Amino acid sequence: MSAPIENIVIAGAGQAGGRAAEALRARGFQGAITILGEEPHPPYERPQLSKAMLYSPDTPVAYIKQARDWSYVLNVRLETGAAVTDCDADRRTVTTADGRSFAYDRLLIATGTRPRRLAALENPGLEIQYLRNVEDALRFRKSVQHQSRIVIVGGGVIGLEAACAAAKNGCRVTVIESEPRLLARAFPPLVSDIVAAKHRSHGVNFIFGATVTGSKPDGVQLSNGDGVEADLVLIGIGVEPVPTVAERLGLPSAGGIAVDACGRTAASGVFCAGDAALQWSRCHGRAIRVETWANAQNQAISVAANMIGEAKEYTDPPWFWTDQYDLNIQVAGDMLDSDHIVRGDERSGKFSVVAIRGSEVVGALSVNAAKEMAMLKRVIAANARPSRSDLESPAYDLRAALK
């Protein structure tokens, strides 16, 4: 018989760590659970940082649970301001920055990611910000209330949502994107163009195909030789896994921590969930890191079950959403290297795009069509294969693909 599981340590107090702890208790685990988090806050969900918190000075932080509830309701030991700095695989202990040691029978790595730094602006002489935690969101919200000249480096979801907030506050906003269009890794050109047009209608300027190479006293210098004036530069060029715990365990982590469908790593008794996990995606045909709210929650819940001996594979297709002005855009699966079928009239502002590869539906994107996306997510998850002619017909009921 295997040894009993008495101590579970969760390295990381974000959404994945918090939801995993909840799931362990919901599934009847009675042993000790300790969550170790670097930030001073209880676990919270990050989408609010680039959405609600940027728009209203009265918007509070929405925590998964208040700090006292972790202890008094779930009987979970929550240690904030306790970054894990070392891990001993033989002794099965983790150590925090203040020198405390915590023993584990099972360890969940849920340390997430950190923003990629832009080396060209490490010593710029002007204000540089990143958007990853509560303090970052509050700082940017305060900055845009002064109607500054804002440069945003990176035309991804975070950068574009920040651009919305800045533009609505009357700022002069310029987005610098190295690709020839917005969100080229997630959106088809049709939707990239719609999003760009919407931003331009609110005064946002775009510079494509250029990178930031340095700073000047009143702004940034670009690779095309141009300069852009700025009072503040927000950098949103992606994220990378926090490597500390994985490195101490001898787990490669540069592209993410490799896990199987149950969340197990190559280290005995060690699991990984959330943004840091390198997991197989059928839609993409390869292992990827999934940096989404849904994955941080749902994969963590699934992995928690496996940590206490249940067999629960996680195979949900990736899914995320973004709200920009009056556009609600949702993306499921993989939209690249595939044929695209438009359902509905894009001129109406409400339509979907389905991505097919061969006979397989591998992705979908909806614009202001949440109900259709709910069905398309089910079609992708079921590996359903409706005919192309059916998908091309807006009258086709997607429920038929699931029969």
Side-chain angles (χ1 to χ4, degrees):
M1 294 179 63
S2 60
I5 303 169
E6 298 179 348
N7 291 289
I8 292 179
V9 171
I10 300 173
Q15 181 182 351
R19 294 303 186 191
E22 284 184 327
L24 287 167
R25 288 293 186 235
R27 292 181 177 277
F29 178 67
Q30 299 296 314
I33 302 174
T34 302
I35 303 177
L36 305 173
E38 180 177 11
E39 294 186 47
H41 308 284
Y44 61 88
E45 298 176 345
R46 294 191 187 275
Q48 62 186 311
L49 302 182
S50 60
K51 295 179 171 66
M53 286 187 65
L54 294 190
Y55 290 96
S56 171
D58 300 323
T59 300
V61 181
Y63 296 109
I64 293 174
K65 275 182 170 50
Q66 295 301 314
R68 68 185 310 275
D69 290 339
W70 289 105
S71 175
Y72 293 107
V73 177
L74 284 186
N75 190 26
V76 169
R77 180 179 180 180
L78 172 63
E79 296 285 346
T80 56
V84 175
T85 57
D86 202 0
C87 185
D88 189 318
D90 295 328
R91 291 192 176 97
R92 293 204 170 197
T93 59
V94 296
T95 305
T96 53
D98 57 9
R100 290 180 294 165
S101 183
F102 299 83
Y104 68 84
D105 299 310
R106 296 287 184 273
L107 172 65
L108 176 64
I109 303 174
T111 46
T113 55
R114 62 190 180 190
R116 287 197 178 97
R117 310 289 296 187
L118 182 58
L121 293 182
E122 284 299 293
N123 297 290
L126 72 161
E127 186 175 0
I128 303 297
Q129 294 185 16
Y130 294 82
L131 187 55
R132 186 58 183 171
N133 58 38
V134 169
E135 287 73 25
D136 293 340
L138 296 177
R139 187 180 305 114
F140 185 74
R141 183 173 74 188
K142 183 177 180 180
S143 297
V144 300
Q145 290 169 354
H146 296 300
Q147 298 189 359
S148 305
R149 299 169 298 179
I150 308 292
V151 165
I152 297 175
V153 184
V157 168
I158 299 300
L160 293 176
E161 290 180 348
C164 288
K168 287 183 176 182
N169 275 279
C171 298
R172 289 172 49 192
V173 183
T174 301
V175 176
I176 301 166
E177 170 54 51
S178 61
E179 297 287 338
R181 61 183 178 88
L182 299 175
L183 285 159
R185 292 181 296 171
F187 286 10
L190 166 66
V191 183
S192 295
D193 292 344
I194 289 172
V195 172
K198 179 65 69 172
H199 277 273
R200 289 189 179 106
S201 73
H202 286 79
V204 176
N205 180 48
F206 291 99
I207 298 174
F208 292 107
T211 58
V212 173
T213 56
S215 64
K216 53 182 186 173
D218 61 346
V220 296
Q221 193 69 37
L222 305 184
S223 57
N224 61 10
D226 293 341
V228 182
E229 295 181 346
D231 301 303
L232 164 67
V233 179
L234 178 72
I235 300 173
I237 55 173
V239 295
E240 61 188 9
V242 179
T244 307
V245 180
E247 286 181 348
R248 298 298 188 271
L249 291 169
L251 298 172
S253 64
I257 301 170
V259 299
D260 65 12
C262 295
R264 291 181 289 248
T265 72
S268 176
V270 179
F271 296 71
C272 180
D275 290 7
L278 183 65
Q279 55 190 292
W280 179 259
S281 169
R282 177 183 56 81
C283 297
H284 294 76
R286 57 186 172 87
I288 63 171
R289 283 193 305 103
V290 182
E291 302 162 9
T292 71
W293 168 90
N295 184 73
Q297 172 172 285
N298 299 334
Q299 189 216 12
I301 292 171
S302 178
V303 171
N306 289 294
M307 293 178 72
I308 55 175
E310 297 184 29
K312 188 175 179 63
E313 292 192 350
Y314 180 75
T315 59
D316 290 7
W319 170 78
F320 72 90
W321 87 97
T322 178
D323 293 320
Q324 298 178 37
Y325 309 109
D326 58 353
L327 298 176
N328 170 257
I329 303 173
Q330 301 186 36
V331 181
D334 181 22
M335 298 299 294
L336 297 184
D337 301 321
S338 55
D339 294 329
H340 292 154
I341 298 171
V342 177
R343 288 173 55 84
D345 183 359
E346 62 268 25
R347 294 169 298 181
S348 71
K350 182 179 180 180
F351 65 96
S352 297
V353 182
V354 181
I356 60 172
R357 197 175 296 139
S359 61
E360 183 180 5
V361 178
V362 295
L365 180 151
S366 69
V367 177
N368 296 330
K371 288 185 178 180
E372 175 140 304
M373 173 52 75
M375 289 304 306
L376 286 167
K377 284 166 62 178
R378 292 178 60 189
V379 169
I380 297 168
N383 197 15
R385 298 176 182 244
S387 70
R388 185 183 186 109
S389 60
D390 283 339
L391 289 172
E392 288 174 340
S393 171
Y396 175 68
D397 188 342
L398 289 167
R399 288 176 294 185
L402 300 173
K403 296 178 180 178

